[in-house]
Amino acid sequence: MNHLASQDPAIYTAIECEVDRQNYGLELIASENFVSKSILQAQGSVFTNKYAEGLPGRRYYGGCEFADTVEDIARDRAKELFQCDWVNVQPHSGASANAAVYLSCLKPGDTFLGLDLAHGGHLTHGSPVNFSGIWFHAEYYGVEKNGLINMDHVREKARSVKPKLISIGASAYSRDFDYQAFRSIADEVGALLWMDMAHPAGLIAARVLNDPLPHAHIVTTTTHKTLRGPRGGMILIGKDAENPFGKVAPKSGRVRRMSELLDSAVFPGMQGGPLVHVIAAKAVAFNEALKPNFVQYARQVQKNSSVMADSFMDRGYHVISGGTDNHLILVDLRSKNITGKDAEIALQSAHITVNKNMVPFDDKSPFVTSGIRLGTAALTTRGFMESDIREVVELIDRVLTAPTDETVQARVINEVRALCEVHPLYDFVIA
Ligand code: DSN
């Protein structure tokens, strides 16, 4: 990066500081992870220069022969990884992938049913401040007082609101989903079933969680959380079929397949040129996830998460749903007399990164919150094992017990650094 250092020292220095922050802090944001150097190199490649609107073999620009190679490899690897009929690797993000689902499946004002954001759902699953809740009629199911989704209540809700689309998936739900039960509900009310597996995608790829692809009509994901790829999105179909809306191709009158509808919803529906450099990095990530050691990684993520939940509960914290099946846990801090906001700030001062998060039935606003969300995907990538996770929880507990004590924070910073040195991350000062 000596070009950048001399040409733009301000940006160079910010990158250098960020490498240092990632190397010597504890990253517990459940939606983050650390990519390999190969992925960094692919994403930093000259493919950033290339426009490639359209799909491989059917582009709107010349000079796409190598972009075609990259996208074909990415699609083939993703299909092998998730054992599915069709994928589109072009969505710039999970939100873009989800937007393509709405464009394909609904008309403005149509009703759909998703998990309430306040109970662990996602902005793009019908939040009133997101396009999904502004342009469509969102109805919600939630969790029970025990923190779990009750499928009987989902069925009752679906029967009463008759959605055209039912979404599964969450950004703060620590349990696995019963896809068969969701599909039977969708079939009963005549809805399409869509799973947004952004959070658990890597654990699903490794088959350590239930697989939504045989059950959902459409699956979307991000590629950068547990899947450990570059920041981006993807859409998948387990078994491609004629679309149930009877939408026909303009000239031939032929009924279009779901895959065709989704391809055209991504481009030209929602996006212009794909980010070929990111698609190249996605291809590298899928190759990494196809290797046997990715299954070991996924299993360790789960073990670490389970140990983290137990360690918090042993220290008297309330973990929502009493544990976890996946990579994340949600901790209700009300019994500890600290808000999520203050906990996030105190932990950041000790170089431990988490995010404040609403807990189900929260009495505080999303800006304050009663909880924090923590995930183990990133620490597991750098080699943290169960004993390290117990130490991490001990450090968090010390900070949260004395959130304004700078002496405690200073001591914890040193211990965080020592833990990080045992499990080094990036061995360059700057890429
Ligand atoms: N913002 C992501 C998360 O943290 O869960 C989801 O988009």
Side-chain angles (χ1 to χ4, degrees):
M1 279 217 188
N2 39 7
H3 295 289
L4 186 61
S6 60
Q7 294 302 311
D8 197 333
I11 293 299
Y12 176 87
T13 305
I15 295 174
E16 199 173 40
C17 290
E18 178 61 12
V19 173
D20 196 66
R21 190 191 71 81
Q22 293 188 15
N23 271 340
Y24 298 111
L26 293 181
E27 184 52 74
L28 287 159
I29 304 255
S31 47
E32 294 188 14
N33 211 329
F34 301 118
V35 298
S36 66
K37 282 193 232 169
S38 311
I39 291 173
L40 285 177
Q41 284 179 354
Q43 184 156 1
S45 71
V46 292
F47 274 119
T48 194
N49 300 329
K50 189 70 198 103
Y51 254 120
E53 284 164 332
L55 288 165
R58 290 186 283 142
R59 305 284 193 188
Y60 289 82
Y61 289 82
C64 287
E65 57 271 39
F66 304 114
D68 282 4
T69 303
V70 159
E71 190 164 346
D72 275 335
I73 291 173
R75 294 196 296 187
D76 287 346
R77 288 178 181 169
K79 282 194 272 185
E80 188 184 342
L81 185 60
F82 289 100
Q83 293 290 300
C84 62
D85 269 7
W86 170 92
V87 300
N88 185 306
V89 293
Q90 294 191 359
H92 302 330
S93 67
S96 299
N98 294 353
V101 173
Y102 289 105
L103 188 64
S104 310
C105 301
L106 301 181
K107 294 196 178 59
D110 278 350
T111 299
F112 73 97
L113 179 62
L115 178 61
D116 192 342
L117 178 65
H119 285 207
H122 187 253
L123 269 179
T124 57
H125 299 177
S127 161
V129 295
N130 179 263
F131 77 92
S132 56
I134 295 170
W135 290 339
F136 306 101
H137 174 212
E139 293 279 350
Y140 311 103
Y141 56 90
V143 299
E144 308 287 298
K145 290 281 180 206
N146 63 9
L148 300 173
I149 293 170
N150 177 328
M151 295 310 298
D152 291 335
H153 291 170
V154 178
R155 190 180 292 274
E156 276 166 32
K157 185 81 189 193
R159 280 178 180 156
S160 86
V161 304
K162 299 187 179 47
K164 284 184 76 176
L165 175 71
I166 297 177
S167 72
I168 325 171
S171 56
Y173 186 66
S174 62
R175 296 299 182 173
D176 206 353
F177 296 99
D178 182 346
Y179 299 112
Q180 255 166 310
F182 270 106
R183 179 60 188 255
S184 101
I185 294 168
D187 287 345
E188 182 188 326
V189 301
L192 281 172
L193 186 63
W194 156 41
M195 166 62 178
D196 178 348
M197 63 171 183
H199 267 269
L203 307 188
I204 289 168
R207 307 286 183 271
V208 300
L209 287 178
N210 295 333
D211 185 357
L213 280 142
H215 307 287
H217 295 96
I218 304 170
V219 175
T220 56
T221 187
T222 53
T223 45
H224 51 271
K225 298 184 174 89
T226 51
L227 195 48
R228 207 165 56 179
R231 194 156 286 280
M234 172 161 71
I235 313 177
L236 310 91
I237 296 180
K239 199 100 210 98
D240 197 11
E242 281 187 351
N243 78 80
F245 318 106
K247 284 190 187 167
V248 293
K251 284 190 185 148
S252 65
R254 182 178 55 82
V255 176
R256 298 170 81 194
R257 300 181 81 75
M258 277 304 292
S259 54
E260 292 177 71
L261 286 178
L262 287 161
D263 272 336
S264 55
V266 174
F267 171 84
M270 299 303 305
Q271 293 185 173
L275 307 175
V276 184
H277 57 307
V278 180
I279 292 173
K282 287 174 183 170
V284 176
F286 301 149
N287 199 34
E288 290 178 2
L290 280 163
K291 299 210 164 102
N293 63 6
F294 191 80
V295 175
Q296 279 165 11
Y297 163 70
R299 288 203 184 111
Q300 192 61 47
V301 168
Q302 248 180 341
K303 279 189 208 160
N304 284 350
S305 176
S306 168
V307 163
M308 179 174 277
D310 288 345
S311 305
F312 271 109
M313 290 188 288
D314 289 347
R315 289 170 183 277
Y317 288 81
H318 176 211
V319 173
I320 300 296
S321 87
T324 177
D325 297 327
N326 56 27
H327 61 299
L328 70 82
I329 68 167
L330 189 58
V331 182
D332 185 340
L333 296 169
R334 281 178 285 198
S335 62
K336 296 286 177 180
N337 288 323
I338 182 167
T339 64
K341 181 181 175 192
D342 289 342
E344 181 187 302
I345 292 168
L347 289 168
Q348 184 156 331
S349 307
H351 297 183
I352 300 173
T353 315
V354 305
N355 64 279
K356 60 179 174 292
N357 214 99
M358 303 266 284
V359 294
F361 312 102
D362 209 325
D363 52 354
K364 299 191 182 68
S365 79
F367 303 103
V368 179
T369 81
S370 296
I372 48 173
R373 185 188 65 161
L374 308 99
T376 54
L379 290 189
T380 307
T381 292
R382 61 189 298 171
F384 278 55
M385 305 297 279
E386 291 96 315
S387 57
D388 305 306
I389 296 295
R390 285 190 198 96
E391 217 176 307
V392 168
V393 174
E394 202 237 307
L395 295 176
I396 292 172
D397 185 36
R398 268 161 53 194
V399 174
L400 297 187
T401 305
T404 53
D405 188 332
E406 289 177 10
T407 318
V408 170
Q409 285 166 8
R411 283 207 198 104
V412 170
I413 285 173
N414 288 334
E415 289 179 52
V416 163
R417 191 171 182 100
L419 255 179
C420 290
E421 279 168 353
V422 176
H423 301 291
L425 179 57
Y426 293 121
D427 61 359
F428 42 77
V429 177
I430 194 154

